[in-house]
Amino acid sequence: MFGKKIPSLRRIFQMWLLLFVFASFCITFGLSYLFQTRAAQNTATRQAALHLDYMGNQVNIIEDDLKDLKKDLSDGLIEKAKIFAVLLKYNPSLLHNKKFLRDWSEDAGIKEISIVGKKGVVIEAFPKEFIGTDFNKYDLMHPYLPLIDKKDGVYVEDLRTSYNQNGSVNSLVQFVGVSRLDAPGVIQMGYSAERYANALKTAVADVLADDYVLGKHGFVIVSKDGKIISAGRKELKGLTLADSVWKFVKDMPENTLALKTIDGLPVFLVTRSVNGHLLTAVMPKSDVYAYRNMILSWAALVYILLLTIVYIFLSALLERVVVRGIKKTNTTLEKITRGDLNEKVRVRSNLEFVSLSNGINAMVDALKKAIAEAAARLDKELEFAREIQRATLPNVFPPYPNRNEFDIFASMTAAKEVGGDFYDFFLLGHGGSHVGIVIADVSGKGIPAALFMMSAKTLIKNLSETGMPPAEVFYHANQKLCENNEAGMFVTAFMGILELKTGKFTYVNAGHNPPLIKRADGGFERMTLKPGFMLGAMDSFVYQQEEIFLNGGDTVFLYTDGVTEAQNSRGQLFGDDRLNDLLNKNTDKAPKELLTSVHEAVAGYVAGAEQSDDLTMLALSYNPKTVTVPAEIENLDEVMSFVSGMLQKASATPEVIAKTNIVLDEVFTNICSYAYAPAKGTATVRCAVGGTPAFVSLEFRDSGKPFNPLKKEDPDITADLEDREIGNLGIFMVKQIMDSVEYEYKDGQNVLTLIKYLETTPSSED
Amino acid sequence: MELKKLQENGITVLKVAGQLTSSTSPALEKAINEILETEKNLILDFAELEFLASSGIRVILSTQKKINSKNGALVIRNVKKVVMDVFEMTGLREFLNVFSGNRQILGLE
């Protein structure tokens, strides 16, 4: 796509609206134009007609005047002619009285008299040159001939120019004829129609149109007999129509508006014939259209203004009714897209938007429902995985109720996402001589982590049960985990194996956070570990184990970083220091109570914020109270170190410890020698240190022959060396050293209970 | 238990360190018997002996008897309080040359 921008709704609408408005304008204006033009033309025609009417009237008036005048003139002449005819009738001698003729003519103002006989020939005339004129020879005179035989005939000639005998033109003359009364014949009289001619000269028609203005710049041309006699343009006056640019005028249909271009100027014309005159009204086009143009200009302005207002109004309307609604919908949709599925589209301005809003909201709801269902499904799967995970971790406490030389408690509280933390513990060795503890943190969350966790846990346990020491367990476990580890998962882990008889704790670390260890008389401290790579990351890694000796009362606390990295709502971490302090406030607590304290402290700290990682902890406390060994002399050391350990913890003096050891020697050796011989068996020594004042109590049990060592007689210690019985010295010493000695045979066991009070202050030297 | 043999002024000194128990006494007896094959005088230095039980006493008694029969002398020196208490308790203190300190033996041939 190169720059092809999709236009906005507003733009599209505006474009179309503009087009429409423009078309409207064109049509409206066009129609206006046509109408106005037609109207202008009609007006011009009417105007011209009015003017021509006026002109015509004037012409008529003038012509009528002239006709009247002519009639007057001719009537007067006829009268005179009739009078002459009467005179002749009663005085026929006057016929040839030339003087009479002359005088009469002068009196009557007549120019010519011609008396025509019965043959049609002038027999007498004034002036005399007309005598002998034969009327039969002239067409013009023919109409007189019928008058000869009448008595009352009259004939009026049209005005004409007279010409002499020789044919030259004279002036305007009027001739009439009357029948003679004295004899058949005609009396013809004529006179110079001077008045008429003068009247004609002063005919207003000549100036009729001269100063006449038609409209603003229009004018009238009056032409008669092919000659312009009057015109609004002075230069036209006198022109012969046929020679001028106006020659077409005579061929124009009358009373119709025509447009011609004269001398480059477009003009409208209307012509009319009135009374022998051709009247032509001439109106320049600009005049005719002046009004129209003004109207159209104003109309155009008004139209444009109106349409602009309509345009703006409709645009705004669209914006308000549609575009705004769409924008609001889009804004809400954006919020929804960004993840807030609870947003609702609320555009309710019109039906369509209500429908749209409802539709979108319904769709979002359906989506939410689908998502919730999918999440629920996933949650179920995770729950299932979590259950599996939970079930595989040993969760029965106390796990070994018949073993009280150590105490274990562990817990794993999973985060929402199934994580991969785990703990494990198991007895190892013949008769459960050792206990192994493991804690681990798998990278990642979810089902893959859970599966990896199960693999790791199983491997470590199985390998440990083969009797391998921790470093080897981790070496082989690592190898196996590195195999087929395409997902690249890894697990940090710590494991330790505690030899219960001796308290020897052998441990190895694979990148896990060091456990905390509390020595009997101290506080919790972090164990320093040799570094080791996490399991599953790099094959063929050789792990190094370490060993320490735990004494009675020591506690080892294993945990994963879910504890120290637990966050409160402000994102602050619980932290190593806080954990340390907490444990040190609870040093006297047994593992179960210790873990409960930690849980409570973390829960209190987190205070409702979401748990981000599994909380996994395991505490092992070593409280060897009894030691059970085969009744063989080689196990004497074990018994002695067991008891010594407890005494040391109780701050017993070395002297007390030594004396106790002597007692142990005596009793144990007895058991070894006599209890089972020749068979074999075990001896159990339970040691308890406590009380106020402090004492140590030793309880010896064996399941051998019933034998009360106290029954033996004390030896004679005063006897000299030679006589000395060595045999009973041991028991004697026991009786001397211990403050209390008791024996009973109960439930098939010899039970010897010895108590000695501890002197915590050193006694005086001898 | 550790044993260290040395000579002082021509007399064998056997230093016993550790504990004299039923399990360790036999070793002491064996060492003493070896010495007594050639010697009649013996000094047992118990400076580092933590304690001894009846088996240890037995060994000492038999040693004393053997030395008596040889007309030699047995001296047990640098005995700790515990050990001394044991000797007292068992009434053997009077019968043995037992010293808590490192006193020179006078008049020994």
Side-chain angles (χ1 to χ4, degrees):
Chain A
M1 294 269 170
F2 297 100
K4 251 233 152 146
K5 277 183 77 182
I6 298 179
S8 69
L9 190 64
R10 188 200 186 123
R11 181 124 306 189
I12 293 176
F13 180 74
Q14 281 179 340
M15 209 180 67
W16 282 103
L17 187 63
L18 192 66
L19 219 67
F20 173 76
V21 155
F22 183 72
S24 297
F25 176 79
C26 286
I27 291 171
T28 320
F29 188 78
L31 288 174
S32 279
Y33 180 87
L34 287 171
F35 178 74
Q36 287 293 339
T37 303
R38 172 68 55 85
Q41 285 174 358
N42 287 345
T43 306
T45 310
R46 263 203 309 282
Q47 212 181 23
L50 279 173
H51 287 289
L52 287 176
D53 282 348
Y54 173 73
M55 279 277 153
N57 276 344
Q58 295 300 101
V59 165
N60 281 336
I61 288 171
I62 291 165
E63 285 299 304
D64 285 350
D65 280 351
L66 283 176
K67 261 203 196 92
D68 286 346
L69 189 64
K70 193 165 139 191
K71 183 116 194 297
D72 283 348
L73 286 175
S74 64
D75 282 352
L77 195 63
I78 289 168
E79 279 301 310
K80 288 190 173 99
K82 276 191 178 157
I83 289 172
F84 192 79
V86 170
L87 273 176
L88 263 190
K89 180 182 174 188
Y90 290 110
N91 271 320
S93 62
L94 291 174
L95 181 61
H96 294 288
N97 192 336
K98 287 191 179 42
K99 189 177 183 290
F100 171 66
L101 283 173
R102 192 174 63 226
D103 291 340
W104 204 92
S105 298
E106 281 177 19
D107 278 344
I110 290 162
K111 198 171 153 210
E112 283 177 35
I113 299 177
S114 295
I115 301 164
V116 176
K118 61 175 181 199
K119 289 197 179 114
V121 176
V122 175
I123 57 175
E124 191 60 68
F126 171 78
K128 56 178 186 265
E129 45 264 30
F130 290 113
I131 296 172
T133 309
D134 188 355
F135 273 26
N136 293 303
K137 288 191 179 152
Y138 301 96
D139 289 337
L140 199 62
M141 302 300 146
H142 281 177
Y144 286 100
L145 294 173
L147 266 60
I148 295 173
D149 295 314
K150 286 193 187 151
K151 292 274 183 213
D152 55 356
V154 174
Y155 175 68
V156 179
E157 251 191 76
D158 283 335
L159 278 172
R160 60 169 165 93
T161 51
S162 89
Y163 44 86
N164 300 327
Q165 194 88 347
N166 52 13
S168 60
V169 172
N170 211 331
S171 57
L172 210 64
V173 291
Q174 171 86 69
F175 279 94
V176 298
V178 297
S179 297
R180 277 167 70 182
L181 294 170
D182 61 319
V186 183
I187 297 174
Q188 186 197 52
M189 277 191 187
Y191 61 6
S192 178
E194 295 250 354
R195 259 179 82 193
Y196 190 80
N198 286 337
L200 270 183
K201 276 209 188 85
T202 60
V204 176
D206 278 10
V207 298
L208 192 60
D210 282 6
D211 294 319
Y212 195 75
V213 177
L214 218 163
K216 235 184 174 166
H217 303 103
F219 59 93
V220 180
I221 301 174
V222 180
S223 52
K224 184 171 180 185
D225 302 326
K227 197 156 167 210
I228 297 174
I229 58 172
S230 174
R233 294 273 177 278
K234 297 252 175 3
E235 63 275 12
L236 296 173
K237 199 159 176 178
L239 287 181
T240 310
L241 208 57
D243 295 336
S244 72
V245 292
W246 302 95
K247 59 176 175 265
F248 60 86
V249 158
K250 39 186 182 50
D251 301 318
M252 267 175 59
E254 293 195 4
N255 294 314
T256 345
L257 196 70
L259 177 66
K260 299 273 182 214
T261 308
I262 309 285
D263 289 338
L265 186 75
V267 294
F268 279 101
L269 308 134
V270 180
T271 64
R272 190 187 290 185
S273 298
V274 176
N275 224 327
H277 292 71
L278 191 62
L279 304 172
T280 309
V282 181
M283 298 163 286
K285 191 165 122 176
S286 54
D287 276 12
V288 171
Y289 287 145
Y291 181 68
R292 175 203 76 169
N293 290 346
M294 187 199 77
I295 288 289
L296 285 180
S297 303
W298 276 106
L301 205 69
V302 169
Y303 281 145
I304 287 170
L305 197 69
L306 211 66
L307 290 173
T308 305
I309 290 171
V310 165
Y311 178 81
I312 290 170
F313 177 73
L314 286 181
S315 269
L317 192 69
L318 178 80
E319 179 71 32
R320 187 136 210 289
V321 172
V322 177
V323 176
R324 193 192 287 185
I326 292 178
K327 277 194 188 141
K328 194 167 169 205
T329 306
N330 277 344
T331 308
T332 309
L333 281 175
E334 220 171 281
K335 284 193 196 143
I336 293 173
T337 309
R338 247 181 259 129
D340 187 353
L341 291 179
N342 290 324
E343 279 286 333
K344 295 263 178 233
V345 178
R346 274 194 232 348
V347 183
R348 306 223 166 270
S349 46
N350 57 61
L351 264 184
E352 286 76 7
F353 273 118
V354 166
S355 174
L356 181 69
S357 296
N358 288 344
I360 290 176
N361 291 338
M363 186 189 77
V364 172
D365 282 341
L367 210 71
K368 269 178 19 188
K369 186 151 171 261
I371 289 173
E373 276 168 15
R377 256 201 306 280
L378 190 65
D379 275 349
K380 272 217 173 69
E381 286 171 12
L382 290 179
E383 186 61 42
F384 186 61
R386 199 177 303 130
E387 275 311 304
I388 293 177
Q389 184 192 24
R390 220 199 305 268
T392 62
L393 267 52
N395 53 13
V396 175
F397 296 102
Y400 313 107
N402 58 344
R403 308 290 297 262
N404 57 8
E405 63 269 51
F406 66 92
D407 198 356
I408 284 186
F409 196 82
S411 73
M412 195 278 298
T413 314
K416 186 166 200 285
E417 296 260 319
V418 174
D421 277 15
F422 71 89
Y423 63 79
D424 202 2
F425 52 83
F426 35 80
L427 290 177
L428 299 167
H430 179 63
S433 58
H434 294 67
V435 62
I437 53 174
V438 186
I439 193 149
D441 184 351
V442 177
S443 65
K445 285 189 196 320
I447 293 176
L451 292 175
F452 192 76
M453 173 219 100
M454 303 262 288
S455 284
K457 179 174 168 297
T458 313
L459 273 170
I460 290 172
K461 182 168 182 194
N462 290 350
L463 288 166
S464 301
E465 282 169 352
T466 64
M468 278 183 205
E472 267 186 60
V473 168
F474 268 20
Y475 176 82
H476 290 291
N478 182 45
Q479 290 293 93
K480 267 271 179 280
L481 289 171
C482 285
E483 264 176 47
N484 294 330
N485 186 11
E486 275 152 19
M489 306 202 77
F490 54 84
V491 52
T492 64
F494 172 93
M495 86 166 283
I497 298 180
L498 174 65
E499 188 181 14
L500 292 162
K501 281 201 305 205
T502 60
K504 182 166 82 172
F505 186 62
T506 313
Y507 55 90
V508 67
N509 184 45
H512 196 77
N513 45 283
L516 295 165
I517 184 166
K518 171 188 85 86
R519 293 301 191 168
D521 48 359
F524 276 93
E525 282 170 357
R526 189 150 293 115
M527 287 172 75
T528 47
L529 305 174
K530 290 200 181 121
F533 221 61
M534 33 206 186
L535 302 173
M538 199 169 80
D539 66 12
S540 304
F541 189 84
V542 174
Y543 291 89
Q544 294 189 302
Q545 63 192 39
E546 301 172 78
E547 76 181 35
I548 54 171
F549 275 87
L550 297 184
N551 295 313
D554 291 356
T555 302
V556 180
F557 179 80
L558 275 54
Y559 65 99
T560 61
D561 59 16
V563 176
T564 43
E565 287 175 14
Q567 288 182 21
N568 65 7
S569 49
R570 281 198 295 274
Q572 297 164 322
L573 303 182
F574 189 76
D576 292 312
D577 294 337
R578 214 172 256 114
L579 178 64
N580 242 41
D581 291 344
L582 173 72
L583 290 174
N584 283 329
K585 287 197 185 95
N586 292 287
T587 53
D588 53 341
K589 289 222 169 90
K592 181 169 178 193
E593 285 70 38
L594 192 67
L595 258 61
T596 306
S597 311
V598 177
H599 263 296
E600 280 171 6
V602 171
Y605 182 82
V606 164
E610 204 180 304
Q611 183 185 346
S612 58
D613 201 354
D614 296 346
L615 280 176
T616 311
M617 306 179 248
L618 181 149
L620 168 74
S621 68
Y622 186 47
N623 303 308
K625 290 190 185 65
T626 63
V627 62
T628 302
V629 294
E632 311 280 329
I633 202 69
E634 64 252 21
N635 296 317
L636 174 62
D637 280 336
E638 189 181 326
V639 176
M640 290 203 308
S641 61
F642 163 66
V643 172
S644 301
M646 290 188 73
L647 286 169
Q648 273 164 4
K649 176 184 158 187
S651 309
T653 58
E655 189 189 316
V656 165
I657 294 170
K659 285 190 175 156
T660 309
N661 280 335
I662 293 169
V663 164
L664 287 169
D665 186 342
E666 303 306 338
V667 175
F668 191 72
T669 309
N670 244 11
I671 295 172
C672 293
S673 306
Y674 303 117
Y676 298 100
K680 296 203 189 291
T682 59
T684 300
V685 181
R686 181 187 295 267
C687 171
V689 182
T692 325
F695 63 85
V696 55
S697 96
L698 301 170
E699 183 194 84
F700 296 86
R701 284 172 183 264
D702 69 82
S703 313
K705 302 172 208 163
F707 170 71
N708 185 355
L710 304 177
K711 279 238 184 83
K712 285 226 172 122
E713 283 172 24
D714 287 343
D716 178 6
I717 60 170
T718 59
D720 64 20
L721 243 48
E722 300 299 326
D723 304 326
R724 190 54 76 102
E725 281 274 346
I726 296 173
N728 297 333
L729 212 53
I731 279 298
F732 174 72
M733 281 164 62
V734 168
K735 285 196 245 187
Q736 294 297 105
I737 290 171
M738 301 308 277
D739 294 311
S740 149
V741 292
E742 277 169 13
Y743 168 84
E744 70 174 335
Y745 187 78
K746 192 175 171 187
D747 299 327
Q749 287 187 313
N750 294 301
V751 182
L752 184 69
T753 309
L754 314 169
I755 294 178
K756 177 169 179 58
Y757 288 97
L758 307 179
E759 303 147 15
T760 48
T761 53
S763 54
S764 52
E765 295 285 323
D766 70 312
Chain B
M1 187 199 69
E2 282 168 18
L3 299 168
K4 202 150 76 172
K5 198 167 82 173
L6 26 96
Q7 298 284 108
E8 265 182 32
N9 302 327
I11 300 175
T12 308
V13 175
L14 190 59
K15 284 185 137 211
V16 182
Q19 306 164 349
L20 217 47
T21 63
S22 319
S23 42
T24 58
S25 301
L28 177 64
E29 189 165 31
K30 187 165 168 224
I32 289 173
N33 286 342
E34 271 179 29
I35 294 166
L36 289 184
E37 277 170 18
T38 54
E39 303 278 330
K40 61 174 182 172
N41 298 318
L42 178 62
I43 296 176
L44 291 173
D45 190 323
F46 281 177
E48 280 158 51
L49 178 68
E50 285 168 33
F51 63 85
L52 51 81
S54 58
S55 47
I57 291 169
R58 233 168 265 130
V59 168
I60 290 169
L61 277 181
S62 74
T63 305
Q64 184 71 66
K65 280 186 180 156
K66 284 190 190 126
I67 284 175
N68 282 349
S69 66
K70 280 188 166 193
N71 278 325
L74 173 66
V75 171
I76 305 172
R77 72 179 191 197
N78 290 332
V79 165
K80 288 194 175 172
K81 184 177 189 302
V82 178
V83 177
M84 194 63 90
D85 286 348
V86 169
F87 285 141
E88 282 210 26
M89 193 189 305
T90 54
L92 290 172
R93 187 165 180 185
E94 290 94 49
F95 295 97
L96 300 170
N97 291 328
V98 147
F99 303 99
S100 57
N102 190 17
R103 286 214 311 254
Q104 276 286 62
I105 315 298
L106 298 169
L108 219 72
E109 299 334 13

